[in-house]
Amino acid sequence: MLKVRGVETGYGRLKILRGVDLDVPEGSAVALLGGNGTGKSTLLKAISGLLRVWSGEIEFDGKPIHNRKPNEIVKAGLVQVTQGKDSYPGLTVEENLKLGAHSRNDRDKIKADLEQIYEFFPILRERRKQMAGLLSGGQIQMLVIGRGMMAAPKMIMLDEPSAALAPLVVLDIFRQINKIRAELGTTILVVEQNVRMALLLAEYGYVIHDGRIHIEGKASDMIHDENVRNAYLGGTVVETANA
Amino acid sequence: MLVDFLVVGVSIGLVYAIVALGISLIYSGLDIVHFAHGEFVMFGAFFGLVLVNDSGLNYPISIFLAMIFAGLMGVVVERVFYRRLTSKGGGYTVAGMGMIICGFGMAIILQNIAFLIWGAEGHAINVDFGTPMKIGTVNLPKSYLWILCVSVGLMAILHLFLKNTKAGLAIRAVAANKDIAYLMGINVPLMISLIFGLACGLAAVGGVLIGPINYVQVEMGYLILIKGFAAAVVGGFGSLPGAILGGLMVGIFETLGAGYISGSHKDIYAFLLLIAVLVIMPTGLFGQLAKSKA
C-alpha cells in the first residue's frame, strides 16, 4: 500500500535521510524503530508531505505522492497521527475530533464515526466539551488517535504513541490500536522507540539508523535480535540486510 | 454631555475594534503584523464613496459591496506579494522583519494608487440618515446608530462563523498551528487567503462606516491603522475579544479626552492609554505571555 524508494531529504543543506526504502503492504502493521535523531520523524514528514523530498519516490495506493500537498495526501487516505503534544490544547476535545474529519463531506457518516470513536474511547465522550489541554497524557494520545481515525483513513502512521507515557498507559494505548486494527482493518505504520511494544503490534519491522534502514525483518524474529537492541540503544550496528 | 461623548466614543471605538479585529486575525493567522491595513480601510471608504455618491446605491448594500471588493483586493495582495515572504517564515524571524518593511511599502503603493484614481482632496460619503433620534435630552445622529448596529452585527456573525462552521474551525486550527492543520487535511494556503481577505473586508467596513462622519481622504489610513493597532495592543495582540474591548477603550478614552481636556490633542489620548496599559499589563488585557503554539 505504501512504497518508499530511495528517499533522500533533510533540512536546509543538512541531509537527514540517505536513501530509505520501506514497504507497508495493505492490511499489515509495520514498525519503524530507531533512537533519537535517526530520521524517524523526518521520514514521516516526508511521507505526509510536510517536507520536500530531494530524490526518490513515495507511492501510496498505486499513485506517487511525494511532494504533493499534505492535505491532498490526507484526502488520498494516508493520515499521520501526530504526537500527543500536537493536539490543539486551546480547542475542545470534540473540536479536535471534528478537525480530523476536515477532508470529508459526508456529514452523516462523520457523525457515525464520531460515535464510534467515543465507543472506542469513552473517556473522550465524557470530556468532549473540555479543552484538549486539560487532558492527561494518555487521554491526549487517545484523542490524537481518534482524530486520525476521523479522517476515515486507509492507512495511519502513528508517531511514537508511547512517548512520555507510563508503561501501563502504553499497554492500554497499544491494546486500543490493536482493537481499531481488528475492527476497521486499517493499515498501520508505527514509529517507535519502544521496541517491544511496536514489534508486538507489527508483523514486520525496520530499524533506521543515521538516515538509512539498517535492519529489517519479521517482527517475531526481530524481537529476539541483539542487533535491534544495539541499534536502538545506539551501540555498534552490524550491517545486515536480513535478519 | 457625558452621554453624548459616550455614544460617540463607543461608535468610534467600534470602528477601531473592527480594524483591530482584522489586525489580530492576520497576526494570529499569518504570524505577521500588517502595516498596510489602514490603506484597506481607506480603499474601503473610497469604494463606499463611489458606490453611494456616484452609483447611488443605498448604504447597506454599499457597505456589503465595499467589503467584498476590499476582501478580494486583500486576497490578491496577499497571494501576489506577501505569500513570497510569509512562506519563508514570518513572525519573529528575519523574514518577519522583511514582512514589516513590505507592509509599509504596500501602504505607500496603495496610497499612491488611490491618489491617482481619486486625487488628494477629501470627500464625505453623502448618506441621508434623516433627522437625529431624540432619546431623553440626547440628540443621537443616526450615523452613529448605523455604526453601532453594523459593527455589533458583524462581530456577532464573525463569532458564530469562527465558532460553528467547518471553515471557522479550520481557521482557528491554522491560527494555532499550521503544520498540524495541514495534517488534518486542511488546505492551509487557501485558509490563509480566506483569513487575509476576511480581515481586509472588515477594514473596508470600518472605512465605509466612518465615511459619513469623517472625510474620506487618501491619507486617512495611517491614523486609523495606528488607533486600531493601539486597540489591538491594549486588548492583547492576537486576541479577538481583546481587540473589541481595546477598540472600545481607545474610542471612549479619546472622545472623553477630546471633550473634557482638549479637542486639538485628540489623537494623543489613544497612545496615553496604550502606554498606561502596557506599563501595568505588558501583554495587554487578554494577551498571553507566550502564545500557545505547540
Side-chain angles (χ1 to χ4, degrees), chain A residues 48 50 69-71 74 79-80 82 85-89 91 95-96 98-105 147, chain B residues 162-163 166-167 169-170 172-174 176-189 191 292 294:
Chain A
S48 56
L50 287 178
K69 282 194 202 157
N71 52 311
V74 170
V79 169
Q80 179 181 342
T82 61
K85 66 177 167 59
D86 293 333
S87 70
Y88 283 113
L91 301 183
E95 283 172 339
N96 265 282
K98 280 184 177 162
L99 271 177
H102 183 87
S103 55
R104 303 166 59 188
N105 287 315
R147 189 172 70 178
Chain B
L162 289 177
K163 207 82 196 170
K166 194 172 156 179
L169 183 59
R172 285 191 288 154
V174 169
N177 188 323
K178 284 176 196 53
D179 276 359
I180 309 298
Y182 244 146
L183 293 179
M184 298 294 105
I186 293 168
N187 189 339
V188 175
M191 283 301 151
S292 54

Side-chain angles (χ1 to χ4, degrees), chain B residues 171-235:
Chain B
I171 284 179
R172 285 191 288 154
V174 169
N177 188 323
K178 284 176 196 53
D179 276 359
I180 309 298
Y182 244 146
L183 293 179
M184 298 294 105
I186 293 168
N187 189 339
V188 175
L190 185 74
M191 283 301 151
I192 285 178
S193 292
L194 185 63
I195 293 172
F196 202 87
L198 201 65
C200 292
L202 284 174
V205 173
V208 187
L209 284 177
I210 55 162
I213 306 170
N214 291 12
Y215 270 111
V216 177
Q217 204 258 342
V218 189
E219 279 166 359
M220 69 186 282
Y222 145 78
L223 209 56
I224 291 192
L225 169 79
I226 303 287
K227 299 273 177 66
F229 210 75
V233 174
V234 165

Side-chain angles (χ1 to χ4, degrees), chain B residues 52-90:
Chain B
V52 173
N53 291 13
D54 302 347
S55 309
L57 285 171
N58 72 10
Y59 194 50
I61 291 180
S62 303
I63 293 177
F64 182 72
L65 287 179
M67 181 169 87
I68 302 287
F69 291 157
L72 292 176
M73 197 175 119
V75 169
V76 172
V77 165
E78 192 271 331
R79 259 283 142 96
V80 178
F81 299 102
Y82 295 166
R83 185 65 61 92
R84 290 159 209 276
L85 284 167
T86 49
S87 61
K88 294 197 167 57

